[in-house]
Amino acid sequence: MHVRSLVLVVYVFVAAQLLAEEAERDAAWYERHIRPLLAQHCYACHSAQAKVPRSGLRLDVREGWLRGGQRGAAIVPGQPEHSLLIRAVKRTDPELHMPPRQALTEREVALLEEWIRRGAPAPETPTAGSRTVALEQAKKHWAFQPLRAVAVPRVESAWCRTPIDAFIYEAQSQRGLWPNGTAERRRPIRRAYLDLLGLPPSPEEVAAFVSDPDPKAYEKLIDRLLASPDYGERWARHWLDVARFAESHGYEQDYDRPHAYHYRDFVIRAFDADMPYDQFVRWQVAGDELAPDEPLALMATGFLGAGAFPTQLTEAEFEKARYDELDDMVHTIGVAFLGLSLGCARCHDHPYEAVSSEQYYRLAAYFTTTIRSEIELPAPKDQKPVLVQVTSEGFKPMKHHADERGFPHFYAQTYILERGDVNRKKGVATPSVLPLLVRAGTSQERWQRAAPAGWTRTRYLRAGLAHWLTDVEAGAGSLLARVIVNRIWYHHFGRGLVATVDDFGLRGEPPSHPQLLEWLAWDLVEHGWRLKRLHKLIMTSAVYMQGSSVDQERLRLDGGNIYVWRFRPRRLEAEAIRDSLLAVGGLLDRTRYGPGSLDPTMRRRAVYTFVKRSQLSPFLLLFDWPEHLVSIGRRSVTTTGTQALALMNHPLVRQCAAGLASRLPRGSGVERVQAAYQIALARSASASEIQRALAFIQEQTEEYLRAQRAEPQAAAWTDFCQALVLSSEFMYLD
């Protein structure tokens, strides 16, 4: 196969992956925002539930809105201005006033316009009268099985260093593949630093590691990195994507949540302290009930209330807005912890999972009275109390503009809604976990805990939900372990053992190495749910330490590197790019915790950027920073011309390049070039690289002299340093 053909194959594969990820996100957005809106205002007349859809138009299936009714297609994907549906809801046409009785709000119209602008994406829609997947049949799905111990394969290979390698090597051998050898010694240290800390190593750290004769030097390096406070700041950012963390309400007004940052700080502290993952999960769901005297446990509940919320509401929107909040909590718990999309069941029995609409609302009922509040917590060392945003019960609700119209913040009961319509209540939903993830013969009472004596502030129900989520023997704990192990693997290798990191359900991808996934999940639980141990296990394996070289034969057999026969280089995330630039420029501010900042000149780590949903960092967005609206376990990775232009012209990049130039020694040009390479790329420059660099610097200096620019030589060295940090080698983890 020619190289050009190989490139085309890889391009098509990556493009298909990106399109699949985008479709998955769009479908989730539709289920959360559009289907409930259509169900409430349109389905009575324009769906299968109407015996004869009015005007022949159905809006509950894609074919219906594309075919349209008597006037033609209701929607022109990508063109809201030419869509009859928008004309109808805006009431600009005298003959089209829909809904007939009460007009949609501006926010609802804007949601429909945004949906059509995106191309009117929607998942496959169940037909009228469809039924949910059979429960007992669904329980046979691999992801829902009890966790079990797996024997490590016996393989004959000097390449294997850990049990992980035995699983990988066996799968490769069965397919005629073979792994790469260990990467050149300087490469693993840069890889480990960027992977665990999101920052490059210093030349001194590289030199010390390369010259260390200790056979366990690499293991000790991993231990040092895991003990670094930079680790928590790096890996907390991964979780904040999953938690859809932001510090503003979102929507048009997008008012700030000035005390939401405490949740971000909790996540950083939890990762640094190697908090057991099961405790980490329980605290985010019910820390206020399980450890009410522990400030960090209260901060952890910020997870539940991190979603967007429209604070400008009319009275007619109150109840639907509250059900939107409940849906946000259920949806995020499903995706973040269990790798399951539950939002479809808001309007109908789930078409792909064994989750009925009734079960969905019974799960939502755990959060019936759960709201955002701002409370005072004692500060350490006798400092003034701090105001913290929590998501709990029994505290005063967090103030926002909907209060002016009398928004109740919660309703006394959660109802089962037909088609997600708040005007079609079928009965009160009593709290209950998902039967899909309950072992046969197990009662709900297994997880419910009695409230402490005198406890009255909350209903003390979420504590039971938290214990079900982490119960490996009879609850959802087996799936919980598989999902987090896969997330960790994904961030280390760029592809999960389960490629659909947010979907372990019946339509998700099966694992590429099912026995390895099971072994890792079992090992995690057996060793106290400690994630740092899992990191070390993965990063000291031969499969992680191998080189990235390629050949046509193995590309032909496994072009997607599914069986991990090489370490696949991948571009750093937005935060790591920004933080690495500041680090090599000597400009990084290591101040930890506390309020974030919107100031684009801020020099703290990117994790401390204030996440305002309507004012996201332009620099970070260029490199695929998420929108912070829904849980995202896998970011898109794009390559665009605007990225290169920003790196060439952004003042921050120029400042970092100047900072790097100022760090170079006063010696000869050769010494300075070598120092620049060691600081930026953790390696020495080759003879040809030195020659080209010195020639470039000389040309630039002469050009600036002719232009009578101040300090021409300093400017030329800054140009060289900027070219160095703009290189793919700097931007990629390899």
Side-chain angles (χ1 to χ4, degrees), residues 141-144 338-340 352-353 502-509:
H141 181 56
W142 68 267
F144 307 147
L338 305 176
L340 291 177
Y352 314 132
E353 311 295 355
D502 291 329
D503 187 358
F504 275 51
L506 298 181
R507 290 175 64 88
E509 289 286 331

Side-chain angles (χ1 to χ4, degrees), residues 195-308:
D195 206 351
L196 279 181
L197 309 186
L199 297 170
S202 70
E204 295 76 20
E205 289 163 334
V206 174
F209 172 72
V210 170
S211 61
D212 190 344
D214 188 344
K216 294 189 175 181
Y218 180 73
E219 289 185 35
K220 292 179 179 178
L221 168 70
I222 299 301
D223 287 336
R224 287 197 303 273
L225 297 183
L226 288 170
S228 167
D230 291 317
Y231 159 78
E233 292 174 327
R234 163 69 162 163
W235 280 79
R237 184 57 259 180
H238 294 322
W239 183 258
L240 294 175
D241 280 10
V242 174
R244 85 284 187 220
F245 169 74
E247 297 169 86
S248 67
H249 286 292
Y251 294 92
E252 296 91 339
Q253 287 72 32
D254 198 25
Y255 299 111
D256 290 347
R257 296 172 179 168
H259 307 290
Y261 70 87
H262 291 285
Y263 172 72
R264 176 248 291 149
D265 286 354
F266 154 74
V267 177
I268 294 173
R269 294 178 191 275
F271 275 98
D272 275 336
D274 200 18
M275 179 182 288
Y277 182 69
D278 58 340
Q279 178 185 339
F280 180 70
V281 170
R282 286 194 295 269
W283 276 17
Q284 290 178 85
V285 174
D288 57 320
E289 294 182 335
L290 298 171
D293 298 324
E294 171 55 61
L296 278 181
L298 289 163
M299 295 175 186
T301 63
F303 169 84
L304 293 174

